[in-house]
Amino acid sequence: MSAPDLRRWWVRLAQAAGLVTFGLLALFDFTASTADDSSIAALLLLVVPMGLAVATVPLWLPVHRPGTRRLPLAALALAVASLTVTAGVVFLSGGGSLVARSWGLAESAGLVGVVFVVTRWGAPRLALGAAVAAGLAVAAMPLRLGTDSLLVIFGLLQALAAAGAAGIGLYLRVVAAGRERAIALVRAEQRAEFARDLHDFIAHHVTGIVVQAQGARFVAEQDPRRVIVALEQIERAGAETMASMRRMVGILRNPDAPPDAPLAPLAGVSDLVPLLTGFNGTASAPARLHVDGDLDGLPVEVSTSAYRVVMEGLTNTRQHAPDARAVNVSVRRTPDWLLVRVADDGATPRTAPARGHGFGLIGLTERVRALGGTITAGPGVAGGWVLDAAFPLRSAVTR
């Protein structure tokens, strides 16, 4: 079971456990409600807490979008309603005690869940006030039965439960925000790498166009027919350059980045042999390269992305499969696709994304999808780990 599936399973289990606990507490509230006291305050303790408890369920059961404003506003309304009920019961009972055995445990549990949900997903400016109001409502609920010291202690315990729920929600919020920032940083670095590749690619082809144009000018006087060949080469180079620019310009680096960023040399499928040689010099598992088809004339962005797929696969093998005995790198070209696979036979269990949060794979996935391709990573049928990527070739030529 993959990590995302495991997280979804735990979320569903927690939701089911919360519903069961909530139902049991609601049943207890109903059976423990006053039967001997028919005052208005007693009736409030029988009907209103049950209604408020049910009203909390839609807030903490679904998954909310981060930063939502509706959630804290609804939580604040429920907290105000609960505090109003508490004040009304205390006023109607004259400060005495009621013949009841529950102040609304289901309502207390529901509001504690609301505190967690608000601190986890609510809009920051509204979440604090809503969480504080809900916590006060939870702490004040035992006062509906009186002001005995035992009831005050129960109020403090419920306040601690609300504080714990707020702490857990805030912790999960900080963790999620940190991961989002890390992913955004990886994507920004990937865009910067695209920008450097595009710079080198354009410089290479424009230089070739200029050289061919200069050559055509000199041969025009001696052999005019050769000018046609040079013009065809210039046309192909220009079309390839424009096609690559259209695909890559949308994912360029931040315009606020310094313009003098260092340029990285282009590395493509023609550099796979040195890459595997370097890997074999530092890893215990030998890597073998299998090539099927002619790899000449590939679009530069496809060639460089395929190189990075292989580099990511070898890096993952070195870090996460120290017991691997062999690594097979396959590059196959068909009329429409370039297929790349990196497979090892390591027995070390891994999940997707791999350890280290999988940020390398996240950035690589964005790069492959920007070219219209697909990429998958997971356990192989015969064991080990397999990284597959497919790059379309016809779209790279016709766009």
Side-chain angles (χ1 to χ4, degrees), residues 260-281:
D260 55 348
L263 298 179
L266 290 173
V269 292
S270 59
D271 301 297
L272 289 179
V273 173
L275 177 64
L276 268 65
T277 301
F279 174 83
N280 291 335

Side-chain angles (χ1 to χ4, degrees), residues 136-194:
L136 290 176
V138 170
M141 281 183 194
L143 299 181
R144 296 172 179 177
L145 301 185
T147 57
D148 296 342
S149 58
L150 183 61
L151 295 174
V152 173
I153 292 175
F154 276 120
L156 293 176
L157 291 177
Q158 292 198 159
L160 288 176
I168 296 174
L170 183 60
Y171 169 76
L172 294 178
R173 186 183 191 122
V174 171
V175 171
R179 179 171 177 82
E180 290 177 358
R181 286 194 297 269
I183 292 176
L185 179 61
V186 170
R187 290 175 175 171
E189 292 175 351
Q190 194 66 50
R191 291 186 179 95
E193 189 174 359
F194 264 112

Side-chain angles (χ1 to χ4, degrees), residues 23-35 46 50 100-102:
L24 293 176
L25 292 176
L27 180 62
F28 174 80
D29 288 340
F30 181 78
T31 56
S33 297
T34 178
L46 175 63
M50 297 295 295
R101 290 175 292 174
S102 175

Side-chain angles (χ1 to χ4, degrees), residues 8-386:
R8 285 192 293 268
W9 186 83
W10 277 110
V11 169
R12 292 172 182 172
L13 181 62
Q15 290 177 346
L19 281 177
V20 171
T21 303
F22 180 83
L24 293 176
L25 292 176
L27 180 62
F28 174 80
D29 288 340
F30 181 78
T31 56
S33 297
T34 178
D36 300 329
D37 193 345
S38 59
S39 63
I40 297 178
L43 292 177
L44 285 176
L45 281 179
L46 175 63
V47 178
V48 178
M50 297 295 295
L52 289 176
V54 173
T56 62
V57 175
L59 297 185
W60 54 263
L61 184 60
V63 177
H64 300 275
R65 293 182 178 180
T68 177
R69 294 174 58 89
R70 294 181 180 179
L71 179 61
L73 291 176
L76 185 60
L78 281 175
V80 171
S82 179
L83 287 171
T84 302
V85 171
T86 300
V89 170
V90 172
F91 176 76
L92 292 175
S93 64
S97 60
L98 296 176
V99 184
R101 290 175 292 174
S102 175
W103 56 79
L105 292 178
E107 181 186 348
S108 298
L111 283 178
V112 169
V114 168
V115 171
F116 165 76
V117 174
V118 166
T119 54
R120 173 63 180 89
W121 285 288
R125 294 183 179 180
L126 298 175
L128 178 61
V132 171
L136 290 176
V138 170
M141 281 183 194
L143 299 181
R144 296 172 179 177
L145 301 185
T147 57
D148 296 342
S149 58
L150 183 61
L151 295 174
V152 173
I153 292 175
F154 276 120
L156 293 176
L157 291 177
Q158 292 198 159
L160 288 176
I168 296 174
L170 183 60
Y171 169 76
L172 294 178
R173 186 183 191 122
V174 171
V175 171
R179 179 171 177 82
E180 290 177 358
R181 286 194 297 269
I183 292 176
L185 179 61
V186 170
R187 290 175 175 171
E189 292 175 351
Q190 194 66 50
R191 291 186 179 95
E193 189 174 359
F194 264 112
R196 292 192 293 268
D197 287 352
L198 181 60
H199 177 279
D200 287 357
F201 175 74
I202 297 301
H204 170 75
H205 279 274
V206 170
T207 301
I209 291 173
V210 171
V211 172
Q212 291 173 5
Q214 291 174 344
R217 186 181 60 183
F218 286 108
V219 302
E221 299 177 356
Q222 301 176 0
D223 190 357
R225 294 181 179 178
R226 295 177 59 185
V227 177
I228 298 177
V229 177
L231 291 177
E232 292 176 350
Q233 294 175 348
I234 292 174
E235 181 183 6
R236 284 195 300 269
E240 186 177 356
T241 302
M242 293 301 298
S244 297
M245 287 181 63
R246 283 193 296 268
R247 285 191 300 272
M248 299 172 70
V249 72
I251 49 177
L252 289 178
R253 59 184 168 185
N254 191 327
D256 298 330
D260 55 348
L263 298 179
L266 290 173
V269 292
S270 59
D271 301 297
L272 289 179
V273 173
L275 177 64
L276 268 65
T277 301
F279 174 83
N280 291 335
T282 59
S284 58
R288 294 185 292 268
L289 177 63
H290 309 275
V291 177
D292 184 6
D294 185 10
L295 301 183
D296 294 333
L298 290 173
V300 174
E301 66 275 11
V302 173
S303 181
T304 56
S305 298
Y307 177 89
R308 282 163 175 77
V309 169
V310 176
M311 184 168 60
E312 176 70 15
L314 295 178
T315 301
N316 285 339
T317 299
R318 180 185 291 112
Q319 293 180 351
H320 307 301
D323 56 346
R325 293 172 297 178
V327 183
N328 292 308
V329 179
S330 302
V331 181
R332 179 187 176 193
R333 180 175 183 175
T334 68
D336 299 325
W337 294 88
L338 179 68
L339 308 177
V340 182
R341 165 172 289 193
V342 182
D344 63 59
D345 59 356
T348 303
R350 282 179 273 175
T351 59
R355 293 189 299 270
H357 306 288
F359 292 142
L361 187 58
I362 291 173
L364 189 63
T365 300
E366 181 174 347
R367 183 186 187 99
V368 173
R369 289 179 178 175
L371 299 176
T374 60
I375 183 170
T376 59
V381 176
W385 194 259
V386 179

